[in-house]
Amino acid sequence: AQLSQNGKFPAVAHNSGDYARSVAYAWSQDFMAFNMSSGCPASGINPSLGSHQTYNQFIAAFWAAKIANDPLYANLDGLFLDNFVDIPSQLISNASRVDYLNQNAATPSPDNANAWKAGMADLAHQVRLSLPHKIVIANTGGNVTNTGAYLNGGMIEGVDQNGKNTFVGDANGDPTAFYDSWINGGTAPQVFVYNASDATTSGVDAARTDYRAMRFLLTRTMLNNGYFDYDEFLVSNPSAGLNSGGHQTTWWYDEFDNAGQGTGYLGYPLSVATQPITGVFRRDFEKGICLCNTTTVSQTISLGKKYQKINGTQDHATNDGSQVTVITLPPGDGIILLSIF
């Protein structure tokens, strides 16, 4: 009557016919999954935080107390909820065998998915109630229609060099609609993290120096108001497996600070993104523009006036500091151009 975990624990005596509940694991990697579903029983496991709480209520009360009473956490801007999805099969192996509704029997589909989805919405709601003035975002955040009333935003983890990521549930692996939905539908202020990488098998340094992939994914992110980072997560890890990749790098690029001139150099956006050519996107900022070519062929774009390229050190063939009124962008590439005052 207990999961042995490869012989670590002996079986516990139990009456014949009793329903033995095994532990549910996430990702098939022995990460124990807590019961965030709508069938979670209430408990008084920590009376200092509440006398009769579900797991969701406990987590919310814990972080409210931690931020309110612990000086090490008092100045946090908010909370990040990882492994937060509202489709259980994205996280739990054999989700249809779990007793989501606490009825001593596996919860059949679609009741299991509904119980999980309702529970994740409740988790977001409980955290929002406990931290009304904090930023709360989640990876992935799930569908904005389910949790957008409570979360400020979500995250895409591991968009590859082609702009693809299947984990967000899009059949074509294009996360753009997911990203846009959170910027448009999350609780204000909307905060979204767009994590990008190169699914190369040639090593970490090959990913680091794939400036074209970085530019493409950066400018793709800049078409809306999310935060961007580019790291080693997908190197030899095309399926975005959790234990195969990482987020340890702190790579920095000329586009991040105008080749050392300082962050914030473009200023705020002046408009939403437009398409001067179908599949080629442009967004104007106070001190420059970004262009992103999502098509499969090179595109030549007339800029309307003269702009200057970044005078960079990493990919000087692209960022050579020259002034241009027309630019040709290869497929799957992007560029930032500076206004000339």
Side-chain angles (χ1 to χ4, degrees), residues 131-203:
L131 303 172
H133 305 300
K134 297 292 184 179
I135 293 171
V136 184
I137 65 173
N139 179 20
T140 64
N143 193 306
V144 69
T145 61
N146 191 43
T147 51
Y150 315 117
L151 299 179
N152 298 92
M155 178 180 179
I156 301 174
E157 186 177 18
V159 183
D160 70 16
Q161 65 272 25
N162 301 309
K164 302 296 184 181
N165 178 298
T166 58
F167 190 74
V168 295
D170 185 274
N172 298 315
D174 184 355
T176 302
F178 181 79
Y179 170 33
D180 291 344
S181 72
W182 273 104
I183 295 295
N184 297 330
T187 296
Q190 290 82 11
V191 179
F192 192 93
V193 178
Y194 196 109
N195 167 250
S197 187
D198 185 336
T200 180
T201 58
S202 299

Side-chain angles (χ1 to χ4, degrees), residues 24-28 31 33-38 83-101 107-121 140-143 146 167 169:
Y25 286 93
W27 296 112
S28 301
F31 294 167
F34 290 93
N35 188 353
M36 291 166 279
S37 77
S38 59
N83 295 338
F84 185 107
V85 296
D86 53 21
I87 301 174
S89 61
Q90 290 182 323
L91 191 67
I92 307 295
S93 300
N94 298 319
S96 62
R97 298 176 61 187
V98 179
D99 179 15
Y100 289 97
L101 297 181
T107 306
S109 298
D111 293 344
N112 55 14
N114 292 336
W116 177 268
K117 183 177 180 180
M120 297 307 286
T140 64
N143 193 306
N146 191 43
F167 190 74

Side-chain angles (χ1 to χ4, degrees), residues 76 162 193 302 316:
L76 287 180
N162 301 309
V193 178
S302 177
H316 194 68

Side-chain angles (χ1 to χ4, degrees), residues 312-329:
T313 60
Q314 294 168 321
D315 184 3
H316 194 68
T318 298
N319 293 322
D320 62 3
S322 63
Q323 296 184 0
V324 292
T325 57
V326 175
I327 192 162
T328 298
L329 269 182

Side-chain angles (χ1 to χ4, degrees), residues 15-314:
N15 295 327
S16 176
D18 278 356
Y19 187 87
R21 297 189 185 201
S22 62
V23 176
Y25 286 93
W27 296 112
S28 301
Q29 294 169 331
D30 289 347
F31 294 167
M32 188 168 64
F34 290 93
N35 188 353
M36 291 166 279
S37 77
S38 59
C40 179
S43 168
I45 190 170
N46 191 331
S48 67
L49 296 178
S51 59
H52 195 66
Q53 294 177 318
T54 64
Y55 178 76
N56 294 345
Q57 292 168 330
F58 164 75
I59 284 294
F62 170 83
W63 276 108
K66 195 74 172 172
I67 290 175
N69 300 320
D70 190 329
L72 293 176
Y73 293 87
N75 63 348
L76 287 180
D77 291 323
L79 202 64
F80 177 83
L81 305 174
D82 202 4
N83 295 338
F84 185 107
V85 296
D86 53 21
I87 301 174
S89 61
Q90 290 182 323
L91 191 67
I92 307 295
S93 300
N94 298 319
S96 62
R97 298 176 61 187
V98 179
D99 179 15
Y100 289 97
L101 297 181
N102 199 33
Q103 295 176 332
N104 284 330
T107 306
S109 298
D111 293 344
N112 55 14
N114 292 336
W116 177 268
K117 183 177 180 180
M120 297 307 286
D122 178 64
L123 172 61
H125 189 197
Q126 297 298 333
V127 173
R128 172 56 64 203
L129 289 174
S130 293
L131 303 172
H133 305 300
K134 297 292 184 179
I135 293 171
V136 184
I137 65 173
N139 179 20
T140 64
N143 193 306
V144 69
T145 61
N146 191 43
T147 51
Y150 315 117
L151 299 179
N152 298 92
M155 178 180 179
I156 301 174
E157 186 177 18
V159 183
D160 70 16
Q161 65 272 25
N162 301 309
K164 302 296 184 181
N165 178 298
T166 58
F167 190 74
V168 295
D170 185 274
N172 298 315
D174 184 355
T176 302
F178 181 79
Y179 170 33
D180 291 344
S181 72
W182 273 104
I183 295 295
N184 297 330
T187 296
Q190 290 82 11
V191 179
F192 192 93
V193 178
Y194 196 109
N195 167 250
S197 187
D198 185 336
T200 180
T201 58
S202 299
V204 169
D205 202 54
R208 180 185 64 81
T209 56
D210 190 346
Y211 301 116
R212 179 167 160 181
M214 189 285 302
R215 286 193 303 268
F216 175 59
L217 296 165
L218 170 63
T219 54
R220 200 172 175 90
T221 306
M222 291 172 67
L223 300 179
N224 217 319
N225 298 333
Y227 290 90
F228 172 81
D229 79 286
Y230 178 83
D231 62 22
E232 82 287 15
F233 183 60
L234 294 180
V235 175
S236 298
N237 180 31
S239 65
L242 192 61
N243 282 352
S244 301
H247 300 294
Q248 284 78 45
T249 59
T250 55
W251 297 335
W252 194 260
Y253 295 94
D254 289 337
E255 285 80 3
F256 291 179
D257 64 353
N258 190 14
Q261 299 302 304
T263 58
Y265 65 95
L266 278 180
Y268 287 100
L270 298 176
S271 65
V272 298
T274 59
Q275 291 187 69
I277 300 171
T278 301
V280 177
F281 294 85
R282 168 177 172 158
R283 196 176 191 193
D284 287 53
F285 293 80
E286 291 174 328
K287 298 179 182 180
I289 64 173
C290 76
L291 296 167
C292 182
N293 181 7
T294 68
T295 75
T296 58
V297 296
S298 292
Q299 300 285 355
T300 299
I301 306 106
S302 177
L303 305 175
K305 67 176 185 178
K306 189 177 290 184
Y307 289 90
Q308 183 170 355
K309 294 182 179 181
I310 291 171
N311 190 13
T313 60
Q314 294 168 321

